[in-house]
């Protein structure tokens, strides 16, 4: 086998481990990730799975990174070409709703679960989850600021309050879908986001 093939195989194996790890963590939490559990699920030896990661914390951190790639690819990338400001913010809300409404991970939104699990657990995993939450907040706030500057949102709009309320609707949607299995939650979330933004919000097709 050529070195290039070996590297490609290693990359595919690592990607499969991280994808499965994110799926497991969305249901059972990052604390439930163990080398032994993933090795058994994937039909690998513990030593073979341990090699790319070294320890449980490194595995957890890399699972968070992999889940962040999925989150960004699902929500931001499809609308990144929309005009900055209100058009992009409304489109992002639509792709956010779509992400929450479809089973990207079996346990629902990876980051809602991870934030709940690690909000009171200091350490590198919490820091990484918080870092991604802050990045998402900054992106939404930046679009809100642009919308105010463009005159598409009222001059007195508080971007922090707007992002807070949009996030609250996303969290309410997630709970309604996952816990209550409320089929009407998606249109209600879109209605609430649209009311805040003053323009229609629709789940991205």
């Amino acid at each position: 086998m050529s070195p290039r093939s070996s590297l490609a195989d290693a990359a595919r194996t690592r990607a499969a481990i991280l994808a499965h790890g994110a799926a497991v963590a969305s249901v059972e939490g990052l604390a439930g990730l163990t080398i032994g559990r993933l090795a058994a699920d994937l039909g690998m030896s513990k030593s073979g799975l341990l090699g790319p990661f070294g320890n449980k914390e490194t595995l957890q951190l890399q699972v968070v990174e992999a889940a962040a790639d999925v989150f960004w690819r699902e929500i931001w990338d499809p609308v990144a070409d929309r005009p900055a400001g209100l058009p992009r913010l409304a489109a992002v809300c639509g792709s956010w709703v779509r992400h929450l409404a479809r089973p990207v991970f079996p346990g629902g939104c990876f980051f809602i679960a991870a934030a709940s699990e690690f909000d009171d657990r200091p350490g590198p995993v919490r820091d990484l989850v918080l870092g991604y939450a802050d990045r998402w907040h900054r992106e939404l706030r930046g679009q809100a600021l642009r919308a105010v500057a463009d005159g598409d949102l009222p001059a007195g709009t508080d971007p922090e309050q707007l992002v807070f309320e949009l996030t609250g609707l996303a969290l309410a949607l997630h709970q309604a879908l996952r816990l209550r299995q409320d089929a009407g939650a998606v249109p209600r979330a879109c209605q609430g986001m649209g009311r805040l933004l003053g323009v229609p919000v629709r789940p991205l097709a």
Side-chain angles (χ1 to χ4, degrees):
M1 181 180 295
S2 70
R4 182 176 297 177
S5 296
S6 296
L7 288 172
D9 287 344
R12 282 192 292 270
T13 298
R14 179 180 176 278
I17 293 169
L18 293 176
H20 185 67
V24 170
S26 74
V27 178
E28 300 180 15
L30 283 160
L33 285 182
T34 66
I35 301 294
R37 161 68 188 276
L38 294 186
D41 287 353
L42 297 170
M44 299 175 63
S45 67
K46 287 185 181 180
S47 59
L49 194 144
L50 188 64
F53 305 105
N55 58 52
K56 180 178 178 177
E57 185 174 87
T58 300
L59 172 64
Q60 290 175 327
L61 291 170
Q62 293 194 28
V63 164
V64 173
E65 296 275 9
D69 288 343
V70 173
F71 182 90
W72 218 253
R73 187 169 63 246
E74 279 271 316
I75 299 177
W76 189 263
D77 289 355
V79 301
D81 61 346
R82 305 291 176 91
L86 186 59
R88 191 180 300 170
L89 184 56
V92 164
C93 286
S95 61
W96 198 3
V97 167
R98 181 190 66 168
H99 176 77
L100 294 172
R102 65 181 188 160
V104 179
F105 295 108
C109 179
F110 178 95
F111 281 97
I112 290 177
S116 178
E117 181 183 5
F118 278 87
D119 54 3
D120 292 320
R121 297 187 186 186
V125 177
R126 181 187 185 277
D127 292 345
L128 186 59
V129 172
L130 176 59
Y132 279 118
D134 285 345
R135 179 184 174 189
W136 183 239
H137 183 95
R138 287 193 302 271
E139 292 291 353
L140 296 177
R141 183 177 181 274
Q143 298 306 315
L145 283 168
R146 175 63 182 270
V148 173
D150 290 345
D152 291 332
L153 287 174
T157 299
D158 179 355
E160 290 289 344
Q161 183 66 27
L162 178 60
V163 173
F164 186 90
E165 293 182 25
L166 290 173
T167 302
L169 285 166
L171 292 172
L173 172 60
H174 188 267
Q175 184 187 75
L177 291 171
R178 303 300 305 181
L179 182 63
R180 298 174 52 223
Q181 298 183 347
D182 179 1
V186 167
R188 276 195 286 275
C190 288
Q191 182 179 354
M193 290 177 171
R195 186 181 298 121
L196 290 172
L197 299 180
V199 295
V201 170
R202 300 180 181 88
L204 194 67

